[in-house]
């Protein structure tokens, strides 16, 4: 199942949101513990879909929750134009949904070097944003597996929509390795499997150095050879061997062929399996009128893939160690 219609659960989910602490950033650990309790009371149909996805994923590599409760547009604050969000900002309904849904899946995690180490991120267009940043709007944000160069990369990326772009043209693109793998030859798979390739890192993780080069090493395919994980970034993965480059190019073309477009609308939560997919975002045109596209993002780690060692809490902030 890729899309879960949550319209019938709206009343119960509004009540759930109302039960959570009103100012989540004032004490995020307490908020996320309350969200964990709330997650045990999610409607059965939604809980079952989340548990199934968390156990084995699916072919598409994502789960879209549609029809969740959300404020009417005129009841929302203006779309932010700076980050991080004020500590005293009251809880928004979509932030509550990210709390409960995320805790059903695992542990919310912040990254020390990213967004001042905050756990909840506002995603909005910003003038003159770096081309690798989620704050871009009028250029394509290229395919990337989120933080594929980080030893503690998140298992899931969750995107919740409070406000869509005006023309509703912006699409989140998702490409799954489970669908792309059959398009690769046996030789291409063998070249990509368990082979470390040079990879640069996003600006936030460069330690103030404009271009530190490829400081990480990433395996494009790894894990079970018949059902591998994906490590991919179209801008940052830079194989230096010609045969490696050819294989990565074949992988890129295969991923393009299986890409799905998801147009997020208010009340949507998109859960991206960050170990089996790569995702991107198409361009859109902001109006800079206080009502531009506004998403909320959290990263979730689980006890799979070595992302947890024991003793972690939802809301922890981790520091950067590049894959090598």
């Amino acid at each position: 199942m890729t899309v879960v219609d949550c319209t019938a659960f709206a009343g119960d989910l509004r009540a759930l949101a109302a039960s959570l602490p009103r100012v989540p950033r004032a004490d995020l650990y307490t908020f996320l513990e309350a969200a964990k309790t709330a997650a045990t009371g999610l409607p059965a149909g939604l809980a079952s879909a989340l548990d199934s996805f968390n156990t084995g994923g699916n072919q598409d590599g994502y789960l879209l929750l549609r029809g969740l409760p959300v404020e009417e547009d005129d009841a929302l604050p203006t779309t932010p134009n700076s980050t991080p969000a004020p500590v005293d900002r009251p809880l928004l309904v979509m932030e509550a949904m990210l709390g409960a849904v995320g805790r059903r899946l695992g542990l919310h995690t912040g990254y020390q070097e990213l967004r001042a180490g905050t756990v909840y991120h506002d995603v909005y267009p910003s003038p003159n944003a770096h081309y690798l940043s989620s704050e871009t709007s009028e250029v394509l944000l290229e395919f990337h597996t989120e933080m594929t160069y980080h030893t503690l990369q998140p298992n899931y990326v969750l995107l919740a929509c409070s406000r869509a772009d005006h023309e509703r043209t912006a699409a989140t693109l998702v490409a799954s390795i489970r669908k792309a793998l059959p398009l690769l030859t046996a030789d291409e798979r063998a070249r990509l499997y368990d082979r470390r390739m040079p990879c640069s890192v996003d600006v936030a993780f460069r330690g103030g150095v404009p271009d530190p080069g490829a400081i990480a090493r990433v395996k494009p395919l790894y894990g079970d050879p018949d059902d591998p994980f994906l490590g991919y970034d179209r801008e940052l993965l830079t194989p230096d061997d010609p045969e490696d480059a050819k294989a990565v190019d074949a992988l890129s073309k295969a991923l393009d062929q299986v890409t799905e477009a998801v147009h997020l609308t208010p009340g949507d939560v998109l859960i991206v399996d960050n170990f089996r997919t790569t995702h991107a975002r198409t361009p859109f045109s902001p109006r800079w009128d206080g009502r531009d596209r506004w998403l909320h993002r959290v990263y979730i780690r689980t006890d799979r893939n070595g992302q947890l060692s024991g003793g972690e809490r939802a809301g922890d902030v981790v520091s950067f160690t590049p894959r090598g």
Side-chain angles (χ1 to χ4, degrees), residues 251-318:
L251 174 61
S252 295
K253 291 175 180 175
L255 291 166
D256 283 342
Q257 288 184 58
V258 301
T259 295
E260 292 193 33
V262 180
H263 291 83
L264 294 175
T265 59
D268 286 352
V269 167
L270 178 64
I271 305 168
V272 178
D273 183 340
N274 196 47
F275 273 78
R276 296 194 191 278
T277 67
T278 184
H279 65 280
R281 193 221 61 242
T282 63
F284 65 98
S285 297
R287 297 182 186 174
W288 315 115
D289 60 356
R291 292 290 182 268
D292 281 319
R293 189 176 194 247
W294 185 9
L295 307 183
H296 314 276
R297 179 179 65 197
V298 295
Y299 299 125
I300 303 296
R301 288 186 297 153
T302 76
D303 58 4
R304 298 191 309 280
N305 312 113
Q307 302 316 99
L308 299 177
S309 56
E312 294 90 345
R313 300 170 66 190
D316 282 348
V317 178
V318 299

Side-chain angles (χ1 to χ4, degrees), residues 71-274:
E71 293 89 350
E72 294 294 330
D73 191 75
D74 59 5
L76 284 168
T78 57
T79 297
N81 57 18
S82 64
T83 192
V87 172
D88 61 355
R89 190 173 84 190
L91 179 68
L92 299 173
V93 177
M94 294 313 291
E95 292 176 326
M97 296 300 100
L98 287 182
V101 168
R103 290 300 278 124
R104 188 83 189 192
L105 297 170
L107 301 182
H108 296 66
T109 300
Y111 291 82
Q112 182 176 311
E113 299 80 6
L114 183 65
R115 300 287 188 101
T118 52
V119 172
Y120 271 84
H121 300 165
D122 291 317
V123 181
Y124 53 85
S126 179
N128 305 312
H130 192 280
Y131 73 98
L132 294 176
S133 169
S134 61
E135 294 178 11
T136 59
S137 54
E138 297 184 271
V139 297
L140 174 71
L141 180 62
E142 274 285 11
F143 274 114
H144 59 287
T145 303
E146 199 83 13
M147 290 182 263
T148 190
Y149 46 74
H150 200 307
T151 55
L152 297 178
Q153 79 175 74
N155 294 85
Y156 299 112
V157 180
L158 273 59
L159 297 171
C161 182
S162 278
R163 180 174 284 138
D165 59 304
H166 289 286
E167 287 78 22
R168 302 209 172 191
T169 57
T172 301
L173 308 178
V174 185
S176 165
I177 190 58
R178 283 178 165 167
K179 296 170 77 172
L181 192 68
L183 304 180
L184 298 172
T185 67
D187 287 346
E188 290 163 346
R189 292 190 204 185
R191 191 77 194 188
L192 295 165
Y193 183 75
D194 226 23
R195 187 177 181 85
R196 291 180 172 87
M197 299 186 188
C199 188
S200 298
V201 301
D202 286 303
V203 174
F205 297 97
R206 294 178 184 177
V209 178
D211 185 7
I215 62 175
R217 294 293 182 272
V218 168
K219 300 174 181 180
L221 300 180
Y222 60 103
D224 181 347
D226 296 320
D227 187 19
F229 299 124
L230 175 68
Y232 180 82
D233 192 303
R234 191 157 291 181
E235 296 282 358
L236 300 178
L237 189 62
T238 53
D240 51 12
D241 182 293
E243 292 303 311
D244 289 349
K246 285 173 61 178
V248 170
D249 183 60
L251 174 61
S252 295
K253 291 175 180 175
L255 291 166
D256 283 342
Q257 288 184 58
V258 301
T259 295
E260 292 193 33
V262 180
H263 291 83
L264 294 175
T265 59
D268 286 352
V269 167
L270 178 64
I271 305 168
V272 178
D273 183 340
N274 196 47

Side-chain angles (χ1 to χ4, degrees), residues 37-58:
T37 300
T40 64
L42 286 171
L46 174 55
S48 175
L50 292 172
D51 293 347
S52 176
F53 186 70
N54 203 16
T55 300
N58 62 24

Side-chain angles (χ1 to χ4, degrees), residues 25-68:
R25 294 166 183 81
D27 185 347
L28 191 62
Y29 280 125
T30 296
F31 173 80
L32 292 174
E33 279 303 303
K36 179 182 179 181
T37 300
T40 64
L42 286 171
L46 174 55
S48 175
L50 292 172
D51 293 347
S52 176
F53 186 70
N54 203 16
T55 300
N58 62 24
Q59 285 297 109
D60 294 326
Y62 70 88
L63 192 68
L64 177 62
L65 312 182
R66 178 146 279 173
L68 296 165

